[in-house]
Amino acid sequence: MSEKITPYKDKNRSKKEQVAEMFDTISGNYDGLNRVISFGIDIKWRKKVVRLVSKTKPKRILDVATGTGDLAINLSKTGASEIIGLDISSGMLEVGKEKIAEKKLDTIISMVQGDSENLAYEENYFDAITVAFGVRNFEHLEKGLSEIYRVLKPGGIFVILETSMPTKTPYRQGYKFYSKTILPLIGKLFSKDKSAYSYLSESAAAFPYGEAFNNILKKIGFIEVIDNPQTFGVATIYTATK
Ligand SMILES: C[S@@+](CC[C@H](N)C(=O)[O-])C[C@H]1O[C@@H](n2cnc3c(N)ncnc32)[C@H](O)[C@@H]1O
């Protein structure tokens, strides 16, 4: 499912390669586009993630698929002494590094190029791990989640923010229209990469959410798995622990 949907529909290249290339290409206008396509609501969702993480008073946090680092930057409010923002796209990381340097947060936040499916950290290393709009881009979802599970401390918090689908009428129909018609159009208007925003809506439509995603987390070994739909269900915040 999430393995079959790729940005450039190029059968000769892995999803990972295509995803990295796509985010490298759109990195310069990713932040602006993000605000437009979510009407700025993503800022509110990220704040909720930070509140959930803050409650656990973490010292070391890993933000997987950090992109341009918005969540990592917000996570500095938790009082953590070490935050690592990890991503496969060097283009996204470069944009993030500039923002972090401007905010003088580079003593706390490091932006690291790496693959969620093969994390270079020892077991039980992080007190908290977050992923915002990242899991549906993983080439092998369960491998990525297992790696996160491995490096999370027992009792540590794992928070995922990901797109989902409203289940109630008329929100469901409204969301389908928006994601199939408006979203690719905005992508075409604002981005050099025409495939990028069709990929974003196609991958969102195919990705498991709610109970289906809870079950995947539980299968990996996570416990106390809770899904909390946001804004009519267009996104969901999942929390879990180990
Ligand atoms: C939609 S962006 C989200 C960025 C950021 N978390 C945010 O909320 O704005 C998805 C990010 O996932 C990254 N990504 C995809 N697969 C990855 C992997 N296997 N390991 C690390 N990062 C990955 C992409 O490079 C991209 O920057």
Side-chain angles (χ1 to χ4, degrees), residues 12-49:
N12 299 317
R13 288 191 305 152
S14 68
K15 174 172 176 177
K16 204 172 290 182
E17 275 177 84
Q18 296 182 52
V19 163
E21 182 188 323
M22 183 192 89
F23 282 103
D24 278 344
T25 308
I26 65 170
S27 57
N29 43 17
Y30 175 81
D31 284 347
L33 273 163
N34 226 356
R35 296 300 104 79
V36 175
I37 62 178
S38 77
F39 307 107
I41 314 171
D42 62 302
I43 296 175
K44 199 177 88 182
W45 298 333
R46 276 172 230 273
K47 281 190 179 155
K48 279 198 186 171
V49 172

Short mmCIF file of all heavy atoms in Angstrom, two decimals, residues 12-49:
data_model
loop_
_atom_site.label_atom_id
_atom_site.label_comp_id
_atom_site.label_asym_id
_atom_site.label_seq_id
_atom_site.Cartn_x
_atom_site.Cartn_y
_atom_site.Cartn_z
N ASN A 12 11.90 1.74 -11.69
CA ASN A 12 13.31 1.34 -11.58
C ASN A 12 14.01 1.93 -10.37
O ASN A 12 15.16 1.62 -10.12
CB ASN A 12 14.06 1.76 -12.85
CG ASN A 12 13.49 1.06 -14.06
OD1 ASN A 12 13.19 -0.13 -13.99
ND2 ASN A 12 13.29 1.80 -15.13
N ARG A 13 13.32 2.82 -9.64
CA ARG A 13 13.97 3.41 -8.46
C ARG A 13 13.12 3.17 -7.24
O ARG A 13 11.88 3.16 -7.31
CB ARG A 13 14.17 4.92 -8.67
CG ARG A 13 15.27 5.19 -9.70
CD ARG A 13 15.65 6.64 -9.70
NE ARG A 13 14.49 7.49 -9.91
CZ ARG A 13 14.38 8.73 -9.46
NH1 ARG A 13 15.35 9.26 -8.74
NH2 ARG A 13 13.32 9.44 -9.70
N SER A 14 13.78 3.02 -6.08
CA SER A 14 13.05 2.74 -4.84
C SER A 14 12.21 3.95 -4.45
O SER A 14 12.49 5.08 -4.85
CB SER A 14 14.03 2.40 -3.72
OG SER A 14 14.77 3.57 -3.38
N LYS A 15 11.21 3.67 -3.62
CA LYS A 15 10.38 4.77 -3.10
C LYS A 15 11.26 5.76 -2.34
O LYS A 15 11.11 6.98 -2.46
CB LYS A 15 9.29 4.21 -2.17
CG LYS A 15 8.48 5.30 -1.48
CD LYS A 15 7.29 4.75 -0.71
CE LYS A 15 6.58 5.87 0.05
NZ LYS A 15 5.38 5.44 0.75
N LYS A 16 12.22 5.21 -1.58
CA LYS A 16 13.10 6.05 -0.76
C LYS A 16 13.86 7.07 -1.61
O LYS A 16 13.91 8.25 -1.30
CB LYS A 16 14.08 5.15 -0.02
CG LYS A 16 14.63 5.75 1.23
CD LYS A 16 15.44 4.75 2.00
CE LYS A 16 14.58 3.67 2.60
NZ LYS A 16 15.28 2.69 3.40
N GLU A 17 14.42 6.59 -2.73
CA GLU A 17 15.17 7.49 -3.62
C GLU A 17 14.25 8.57 -4.17
O GLU A 17 14.62 9.74 -4.24
CB GLU A 17 15.70 6.71 -4.83
CG GLU A 17 17.01 6.02 -4.64
CD GLU A 17 17.35 5.24 -5.90
OE1 GLU A 17 17.90 5.83 -6.83
OE2 GLU A 17 17.02 4.03 -5.95
N GLN A 18 13.06 8.15 -4.59
CA GLN A 18 12.13 9.12 -5.19
C GLN A 18 11.63 10.14 -4.17
O GLN A 18 11.49 11.31 -4.46
CB GLN A 18 10.95 8.38 -5.82
CG GLN A 18 11.36 7.49 -6.98
CD GLN A 18 10.16 6.80 -7.60
OE1 GLN A 18 9.18 7.43 -7.96
NE2 GLN A 18 10.22 5.48 -7.73
N VAL A 19 11.38 9.66 -2.94
CA VAL A 19 10.91 10.56 -1.87
C VAL A 19 12.00 11.58 -1.54
O VAL A 19 11.74 12.79 -1.43
CB VAL A 19 10.49 9.74 -0.61
CG1 VAL A 19 10.39 10.61 0.62
CG2 VAL A 19 9.15 9.05 -0.86
N ALA A 20 13.25 11.11 -1.43
CA ALA A 20 14.35 12.03 -1.10
C ALA A 20 14.50 13.08 -2.22
O ALA A 20 14.64 14.27 -1.94
CB ALA A 20 15.64 11.24 -0.92
N GLU A 21 14.40 12.61 -3.47
CA GLU A 21 14.55 13.56 -4.58
C GLU A 21 13.41 14.58 -4.58
O GLU A 21 13.62 15.78 -4.75
CB GLU A 21 14.56 12.81 -5.92
CG GLU A 21 14.75 13.76 -7.10
CD GLU A 21 14.58 13.07 -8.45
OE1 GLU A 21 14.98 11.91 -8.59
OE2 GLU A 21 14.01 13.73 -9.36
N MET A 22 12.20 14.09 -4.34
CA MET A 22 11.05 15.00 -4.34
C MET A 22 11.19 16.07 -3.25
O MET A 22 11.01 17.26 -3.50
CB MET A 22 9.75 14.21 -4.13
CG MET A 22 8.53 15.09 -4.18
SD MET A 22 7.07 14.22 -3.60
CE MET A 22 7.16 14.58 -1.88
N PHE A 23 11.57 15.64 -2.03
CA PHE A 23 11.69 16.63 -0.95
C PHE A 23 12.89 17.55 -1.16
O PHE A 23 12.82 18.73 -0.81
CB PHE A 23 11.68 15.96 0.42
CG PHE A 23 10.29 15.56 0.84
CD1 PHE A 23 9.86 14.24 0.77
CD2 PHE A 23 9.37 16.53 1.25
CE1 PHE A 23 8.56 13.88 1.12
CE2 PHE A 23 8.07 16.19 1.59
CZ PHE A 23 7.66 14.86 1.53
N ASP A 24 13.95 17.05 -1.78
CA ASP A 24 15.07 17.94 -2.13
C ASP A 24 14.57 19.04 -3.07
O ASP A 24 14.89 20.21 -2.91
CB ASP A 24 16.19 17.16 -2.85
CG ASP A 24 17.11 16.43 -1.88
OD1 ASP A 24 17.08 16.75 -0.68
OD2 ASP A 24 17.84 15.53 -2.33
N THR A 25 13.77 18.63 -4.06
CA THR A 25 13.28 19.57 -5.08
C THR A 25 12.34 20.63 -4.50
O THR A 25 12.42 21.79 -4.86
CB THR A 25 12.54 18.79 -6.21
OG1 THR A 25 13.39 17.77 -6.65
CG2 THR A 25 12.17 19.70 -7.37
N ILE A 26 11.46 20.21 -3.58
CA ILE A 26 10.47 21.18 -3.08
C ILE A 26 10.91 21.87 -1.79
O ILE A 26 10.18 22.70 -1.24
CB ILE A 26 9.07 20.54 -2.88
CG1 ILE A 26 9.09 19.47 -1.76
CG2 ILE A 26 8.55 19.97 -4.17
CD1 ILE A 26 7.68 18.99 -1.37
N SER A 27 12.13 21.56 -1.30
CA SER A 27 12.54 22.06 0.02
C SER A 27 12.46 23.58 0.16
O SER A 27 12.07 24.09 1.20
CB SER A 27 13.96 21.57 0.36
OG SER A 27 14.86 21.98 -0.64
N GLY A 28 12.78 24.29 -0.93
CA GLY A 28 12.81 25.76 -0.86
C GLY A 28 11.44 26.37 -0.62
O GLY A 28 11.33 27.42 0.03
N ASN A 29 10.39 25.72 -1.13
CA ASN A 29 9.07 26.31 -0.86
C ASN A 29 8.16 25.42 -0.01
O ASN A 29 6.96 25.65 0.09
CB ASN A 29 8.36 26.76 -2.16
CG ASN A 29 8.49 25.77 -3.28
OD1 ASN A 29 8.83 24.61 -3.02
ND2 ASN A 29 8.23 26.18 -4.50
N TYR A 30 8.76 24.43 0.65
CA TYR A 30 7.97 23.49 1.48
C TYR A 30 7.23 24.21 2.61
O TYR A 30 6.02 24.00 2.80
CB TYR A 30 8.88 22.39 2.05
CG TYR A 30 8.13 21.48 3.00
CD1 TYR A 30 7.35 20.43 2.52
CD2 TYR A 30 8.18 21.68 4.38
CE1 TYR A 30 6.66 19.61 3.39
CE2 TYR A 30 7.48 20.86 5.25
CZ TYR A 30 6.72 19.82 4.75
OH TYR A 30 6.01 19.01 5.60
N ASP A 31 7.92 25.07 3.35
CA ASP A 31 7.28 25.71 4.52
C ASP A 31 6.07 26.55 4.10
O ASP A 31 5.01 26.46 4.72
CB ASP A 31 8.29 26.59 5.27
CG ASP A 31 9.26 25.76 6.10
OD1 ASP A 31 9.00 24.55 6.27
OD2 ASP A 31 10.27 26.31 6.56
N GLY A 32 6.26 27.35 3.04
CA GLY A 32 5.17 28.21 2.57
C GLY A 32 3.98 27.38 2.12
O GLY A 32 2.84 27.64 2.49
N LEU A 33 4.28 26.34 1.35
CA LEU A 33 3.21 25.47 0.84
C LEU A 33 2.46 24.76 1.97
O LEU A 33 1.25 24.60 1.92
CB LEU A 33 3.82 24.42 -0.09
CG LEU A 33 3.95 24.88 -1.53
CD1 LEU A 33 4.90 23.99 -2.29
CD2 LEU A 33 2.59 24.88 -2.22
N ASN A 34 3.22 24.37 2.97
CA ASN A 34 2.64 23.68 4.11
C ASN A 34 1.55 24.53 4.76
O ASN A 34 0.47 24.04 5.09
CB ASN A 34 3.75 23.44 5.14
CG ASN A 34 3.71 22.04 5.67
OD1 ASN A 34 2.82 21.27 5.34
ND2 ASN A 34 4.66 21.71 6.52
N ARG A 35 1.87 25.82 4.94
CA ARG A 35 0.91 26.74 5.57
C ARG A 35 -0.32 26.89 4.69
O ARG A 35 -1.46 26.88 5.16
CB ARG A 35 1.51 28.13 5.80
CG ARG A 35 2.68 28.23 6.76
CD ARG A 35 2.34 27.79 8.16
NE ARG A 35 2.89 26.47 8.45
CZ ARG A 35 4.15 26.21 8.78
NH1 ARG A 35 5.02 27.20 8.91
NH2 ARG A 35 4.55 24.98 9.02
N VAL A 36 -0.10 27.00 3.35
CA VAL A 36 -1.22 27.20 2.44
C VAL A 36 -2.13 25.96 2.42
O VAL A 36 -3.33 26.06 2.59
CB VAL A 36 -0.72 27.50 1.00
CG1 VAL A 36 -1.87 27.59 0.01
CG2 VAL A 36 0.08 28.80 0.98
N ILE A 37 -1.53 24.77 2.27
CA ILE A 37 -2.38 23.59 2.09
C ILE A 37 -3.13 23.19 3.36
O ILE A 37 -4.17 22.57 3.29
CB ILE A 37 -1.64 22.37 1.49
CG1 ILE A 37 -0.51 21.88 2.39
CG2 ILE A 37 -1.12 22.67 0.10
CD1 ILE A 37 0.20 20.65 1.83
N SER A 38 -2.60 23.60 4.51
CA SER A 38 -3.32 23.22 5.74
C SER A 38 -4.03 24.43 6.35
O SER A 38 -4.55 24.35 7.46
CB SER A 38 -2.35 22.62 6.76
OG SER A 38 -1.61 23.66 7.37
N PHE A 39 -4.06 25.54 5.63
CA PHE A 39 -4.64 26.80 6.13
C PHE A 39 -4.00 27.21 7.46
O PHE A 39 -4.65 27.83 8.31
CB PHE A 39 -6.17 26.70 6.31
CG PHE A 39 -6.90 26.21 5.09
CD1 PHE A 39 -7.45 24.94 5.04
CD2 PHE A 39 -7.04 27.05 3.99
CE1 PHE A 39 -8.12 24.50 3.90
CE2 PHE A 39 -7.71 26.61 2.86
CZ PHE A 39 -8.25 25.32 2.81
N GLY A 40 -2.76 26.80 7.66
CA GLY A 40 -2.04 27.17 8.89
C GLY A 40 -2.38 26.33 10.11
O GLY A 40 -1.81 26.52 11.18
N ILE A 41 -3.32 25.37 9.94
CA ILE A 41 -3.74 24.59 11.11
C ILE A 41 -2.62 23.67 11.60
O ILE A 41 -2.60 23.24 12.74
CB ILE A 41 -5.00 23.72 10.82
CG1 ILE A 41 -6.05 24.53 10.11
CG2 ILE A 41 -5.61 23.14 12.10
CD1 ILE A 41 -7.21 23.71 9.59
N ASP A 42 -1.66 23.37 10.69
CA ASP A 42 -0.57 22.47 11.10
C ASP A 42 0.21 23.05 12.28
O ASP A 42 0.76 22.31 13.09
CB ASP A 42 0.36 22.16 9.92
CG ASP A 42 1.05 23.39 9.36
OD1 ASP A 42 0.36 24.34 8.95
OD2 ASP A 42 2.30 23.42 9.36
N ILE A 43 0.21 24.38 12.40
CA ILE A 43 0.93 25.02 13.53
C ILE A 43 0.28 24.59 14.85
O ILE A 43 0.94 24.25 15.82
CB ILE A 43 0.93 26.56 13.37
CG1 ILE A 43 1.71 26.92 12.10
CG2 ILE A 43 1.51 27.26 14.59
CD1 ILE A 43 1.70 28.39 11.73
N LYS A 44 -1.07 24.60 14.85
CA LYS A 44 -1.82 24.21 16.05
C LYS A 44 -1.58 22.74 16.40
O LYS A 44 -1.36 22.38 17.56
CB LYS A 44 -3.31 24.45 15.78
CG LYS A 44 -4.16 24.54 17.02
CD LYS A 44 -5.59 24.85 16.68
CE LYS A 44 -6.35 23.57 16.43
NZ LYS A 44 -7.75 23.75 16.04
N TRP A 45 -1.56 21.89 15.37
CA TRP A 45 -1.35 20.45 15.61
C TRP A 45 0.04 20.21 16.20
O TRP A 45 0.21 19.40 17.12
CB TRP A 45 -1.47 19.66 14.30
CG TRP A 45 -2.82 19.73 13.65
CD1 TRP A 45 -4.02 19.95 14.26
CD2 TRP A 45 -3.10 19.58 12.26
NE1 TRP A 45 -5.03 19.94 13.32
CE2 TRP A 45 -4.50 19.71 12.09
CE3 TRP A 45 -2.33 19.35 11.13
CZ2 TRP A 45 -5.12 19.62 10.84
CZ3 TRP A 45 -2.94 19.25 9.89
CH2 TRP A 45 -4.33 19.38 9.75
N ARG A 46 1.04 20.91 15.65
CA ARG A 46 2.42 20.72 16.15
C ARG A 46 2.51 21.13 17.62
O ARG A 46 3.20 20.50 18.42
CB ARG A 46 3.40 21.55 15.34
CG ARG A 46 3.86 20.89 14.08
CD ARG A 46 4.68 21.87 13.25
NE ARG A 46 4.16 21.87 11.89
CZ ARG A 46 4.55 21.02 10.96
NH1 ARG A 46 5.49 20.17 11.20
NH2 ARG A 46 4.00 21.04 9.76
N LYS A 47 1.80 22.23 17.97
CA LYS A 47 1.82 22.69 19.37
C LYS A 47 1.25 21.62 20.28
O LYS A 47 1.73 21.41 21.40
CB LYS A 47 1.01 23.99 19.51
CG LYS A 47 1.81 25.20 19.05
CD LYS A 47 1.11 26.49 19.40
CE LYS A 47 1.96 27.66 18.93
NZ LYS A 47 1.16 28.86 18.70
N LYS A 48 0.21 20.92 19.81
CA LYS A 48 -0.38 19.84 20.63
C LYS A 48 0.63 18.73 20.85
O LYS A 48 0.72 18.16 21.94
CB LYS A 48 -1.62 19.26 19.93
CG LYS A 48 -2.85 20.09 20.14
CD LYS A 48 -4.09 19.28 19.81
CE LYS A 48 -5.29 20.20 19.89
NZ LYS A 48 -6.52 19.58 19.40
N VAL A 49 1.37 18.41 19.79
CA VAL A 49 2.40 17.35 19.92
C VAL A 49 3.41 17.78 20.98
O VAL A 49 3.79 16.99 21.85
CB VAL A 49 3.10 17.11 18.55
CG1 VAL A 49 4.28 16.16 18.71
CG2 VAL A 49 2.10 16.56 17.53
#
